[in-house]
Amino acid sequence: MDEVAVELGINAYPLGSTTFKREELLKGFEPDSAFYIGRRSALWDTELDAAVDPAPDLVIEIDVSRSSLPRFPIFAAFGVPEVWRYDGTRVSLWRLEAGRYVEAERSMALPVVTGPLATRFLEESRTLPGPEWIRRVREWARSRP
């Protein structure tokens, strides 16, 4: 995700596995990874307060021990526009539409990324040495029109 964003000139601010809680919703979540996309604000220089600050633009969930699907309604309540989910076999991209997530062909945050492409990059990251994998991802991103 980071490598593609850098090469495409997209400002992606990683939030890591920050805990998001909102008392008025009586809900909270802690994603495997989250990002603000294209934002530059006071958030960059202060501690995130999920009760005041906007929801992340992208949440990434790795379903190793349990499914993230039951958490999708919580993401929706917070207004997270996009979720990437790896179920151990493939990466699927989910877009929030009318309060529900629907599987999407392309990422909103990184429109050149599809689920099959994200799956391929993830699989390659497990077999290639780190620098070689980064080089390949960057070369791919640079070749996009």
Side-chain angles (χ1 to χ4, degrees):
M1 178 13 223
D2 292 330
E3 302 303 328
V4 174
V6 166
E7 292 302 325
L8 296 177
I10 295 172
N11 197 13
Y13 177 70
L15 301 168
S17 59
T18 300
T19 300
F20 294 86
K21 290 182 185 176
R22 298 217 352 235
E23 287 184 29
E24 79 278 8
L25 295 176
L26 301 173
K27 297 181 186 306
F29 68 94
E30 187 173 309
D32 292 321
S33 192
F35 297 84
Y36 283 129
I37 307 294
R39 298 180 195 228
R40 178 79 184 168
S41 71
L43 298 173
W44 290 63
D45 299 319
T46 63
E47 190 171 317
L48 180 74
D49 181 353
V52 177
D53 297 321
D57 297 302
L58 172 63
V59 162
I60 298 176
E61 287 289 318
I62 310 297
D63 294 357
V64 175
S65 60
R66 61 184 177 157
S67 174
S68 61
L69 290 175
R71 291 192 298 281
F72 276 35
I74 297 170
F75 302 151
F78 275 74
V80 175
E82 185 170 0
V83 177
W84 292 9
R85 176 180 180 258
Y86 178 65
D87 65 6
T89 306
R90 72 181 188 100
V91 176
S92 54
L93 312 179
W94 298 82
R95 176 177 299 157
L96 185 62
E97 290 183 4
R100 295 184 50 217
Y101 287 98
V102 295
E103 194 163 355
E105 184 177 318
R106 297 193 167 278
S107 169
M108 292 185 306
L110 298 171
V112 297
V113 175
T114 63
L117 178 69
T119 301
R120 187 185 97 202
F121 284 160
L122 180 62
E123 289 171 355
E124 288 176 353
S125 75
R126 293 177 170 169
T127 59
L128 293 172
E132 173 66 14
W133 179 80
I134 290 170
R135 185 185 62 73
R136 284 187 185 195
V137 171
R138 286 185 170 183
E139 284 177 358
W140 175 86
R142 283 186 207 123
S143 72
R144 300 297 98 202

